[in-house]
Amino acid sequence: MNFTLKILGTASAMPFSDRNPSAQALSVHGRCFLIDCGEGTQQQIRRFHLPFTKVEAIFISHIHGDHIFGLFGLLGTMGLFGRTAPLKIFGPRNLGPVLNFWKSWFSEGTKYEVEFVPLQMKTRETILEAGPVKVSAFPLNHKTDCFGYRFDELTEPSRNPRKPRSYAYCSDTAPFPEEAEYVRGVDVLYHEATYPAEFADKAAQYFHSTTLQAANCAREAGVGKLVIGHYSSRVKDLSVFARECRTVFPATVAADDGDEFEIGS
């Protein structure tokens, strides 16, 4: 039974010519979820032959453009494909007016309901149980309301004695004391590492993390593997990201668009 992460975008605010902004597709036992939806996400979905119509829920971290500019196009294409199943969209409260604008101007003819679930928790809380997976959200430390997500596999010990698998997504955030506890023990942690250590001042200014800060979170949380992304366009030699992280947390992978990870493998 699969628990698979597909990386659709690893760029930050300024896209690279060969990298899209933030987006990921997560498949858990046949249930399909989308995490963030930067510009070009639906083209990446087509490129990697992922199903438009089977996306069950979308989890938006925050409303900065590199995380939501692909959402309108994706919602429209779902309508063109004849989607009828309701679609849940989770995100900060300020995403609500954005979705209302889309509904007012661009949803005519669509036959599915978009159900927005606003997030405003101050600590980690369960927001969805969908068959074999429990999803929780938790606040991050960014310049606007921003949330991370954790996906925990639900299993019946009598039928499946192995350890349940888990994945956590930490989008744009500066370090904060509770973060490691929110993601403690997950098999795979995705954590933004926008800047190498030499740009620590920029990271602090824009409420982002450096490579070393992401790696420190992974080490403190005792995760199995760290996957990093959201690379700054200031950096031309991207090998520095993984190299710096591995000095603190050796089990680090610097993601590329199109990479796929089997959670718990």
Side-chain angles (χ1 to χ4, degrees), residues 172-252:
D172 302 18
T173 186
F176 61 100
E178 301 84 3
E179 185 180 21
E181 189 58 39
Y182 293 154
V183 301
R184 185 164 306 283
V186 297
D187 292 289
V188 176
L189 167 65
Y190 171 86
H191 198 294
E192 68 112 314
T194 305
Y195 296 102
E198 68 172 303
F199 293 110
D201 58 333
K202 293 293 184 185
Q205 178 182 356
Y206 296 114
F207 287 80
H208 282 293
S209 293
T210 67
T211 51
L212 301 185
Q213 289 166 339
N216 278 323
C217 177
R219 181 176 62 181
E220 184 180 345
V223 308
K225 179 186 292 183
L226 171 64
V227 177
I228 58 170
H230 202 263
Y231 312 119
S232 171
S233 59
R234 293 172 178 269
V235 183
K236 305 308 177 186
D237 179 10
L238 297 187
S239 67
V240 66
F241 290 97
R243 187 166 63 249
E244 289 189 354
C245 283
R246 289 170 184 160
T247 65
V248 174
F249 192 79
T252 298

Side-chain angles (χ1 to χ4, degrees), residues 3-18:
F3 196 154
T4 305
L5 174 69
K6 187 74 171 181
I7 305 294
L8 304 179
T10 56
S12 57
M14 184 70 71
F16 293 72
S17 60
D18 57 348

Side-chain angles (χ1 to χ4, degrees), residues 44-83:
Q44 293 291 77
I45 289 174
R46 279 187 172 278
R47 177 185 175 191
F48 298 120
H49 308 291
L50 303 175
F52 274 95
T53 56
K54 290 186 178 181
V55 174
E56 188 169 325
I58 299 175
F59 301 89
I60 299 296
S61 61
H62 62 298
I63 65 164
H64 283 167
D66 54 322
H67 296 259
I68 67 163
F69 277 169
L71 188 56
F72 281 11
L74 179 64
L75 295 178
T77 299
M78 286 180 171
L80 293 174
F81 269 77
R83 182 187 179 108

Side-chain angles (χ1 to χ4, degrees), residues 20 31 70 87 99 118-119 147 195 223 245 256:
N20 278 37
R31 313 292 282 262
L87 175 69
L99 291 175
L119 305 179
F147 295 90
Y195 296 102
V223 308
C245 283
D256 288 317

